[in-house]
Amino acid sequence: MNLAGVMFFGIASVLLAVLLGQIKGEYSIYIILAAGIFLFIFILSKMSTVIAAVNQIKSYIHFEDAYINVLIKIVGISYLTQFSADLCRDCGYHSLANQLQIFGKISVLAVSMPVVLSLLETINQVLE
């Protein structure tokens, strides 16, 4: 499925959810949830291409695997956080969505701490 197909699927899912929401309100969230899960699975299938490209870049530029792993974790955390928060907002739970976003930001900070500490250690060695 190409980009246009994915966009069409998303728009069709929203239109279907709006139509079903007028008949039976609780069904619209199930449609959006199913569409979101489908798109998440589709995104995961595209991740193999991204990982292959990153590995090719890594063969040209030599740096530690830990940095790539942190980058992939940060992208995953960001995507899951945004997906979950948007779903909560669609249901009308804005405060829970905000809490999920705060948790996602703290998770990104926690995952990136080893890289920050490594950078500070390198700067400290240069200054000594």
Side-chain angles (χ1 to χ4, degrees):
M1 186 181 294
N2 60 12
L3 179 65
V6 170
M7 296 304 146
F8 177 76
F9 174 77
I11 292 169
S13 298
V14 168
L15 291 175
L16 182 63
V18 168
L19 288 174
L20 283 177
Q22 292 173 352
I23 298 168
K24 200 86 159 146
E26 61 270 9
Y27 290 152
S28 64
I29 192 64
Y30 297 130
I31 298 293
I32 296 300
L33 182 62
I37 290 171
F38 173 78
L39 289 173
F40 180 72
I41 291 170
F42 181 72
I43 288 169
L44 285 180
S45 71
K46 296 293 184 181
M47 282 301 291
S48 62
T49 306
V50 173
I51 291 172
V54 167
N55 285 332
Q56 186 174 1
I57 291 170
K58 198 167 60 172
S59 70
Y60 299 135
I61 304 170
H62 300 289
F63 50 88
E64 292 185 40
D65 290 340
Y67 299 134
I68 295 296
N69 293 340
V70 167
L71 182 64
I72 290 173
K73 286 178 185 178
I74 288 172
V75 170
I77 290 169
S78 300
Y79 179 77
L80 286 174
T81 300
Q82 189 67 44
F83 176 74
S84 301
D86 287 344
L87 189 61
C88 289
R89 275 194 194 88
D90 287 345
C91 293
Y93 297 103
H94 297 280
S95 61
L96 181 60
N98 291 336
Q99 293 298 318
L100 286 172
Q101 285 187 318
I102 290 170
F103 178 76
K105 290 172 185 177
I106 291 172
S107 296
V108 166
L109 182 64
V111 167
S112 64
M113 267 303 130
V115 175
V116 172
L117 291 174
S118 175
L119 176 65
L120 291 175
E121 190 175 293
T122 303
I123 291 172
N124 191 28
Q125 289 174 355
V126 169
L127 291 176
E128 289 181 355

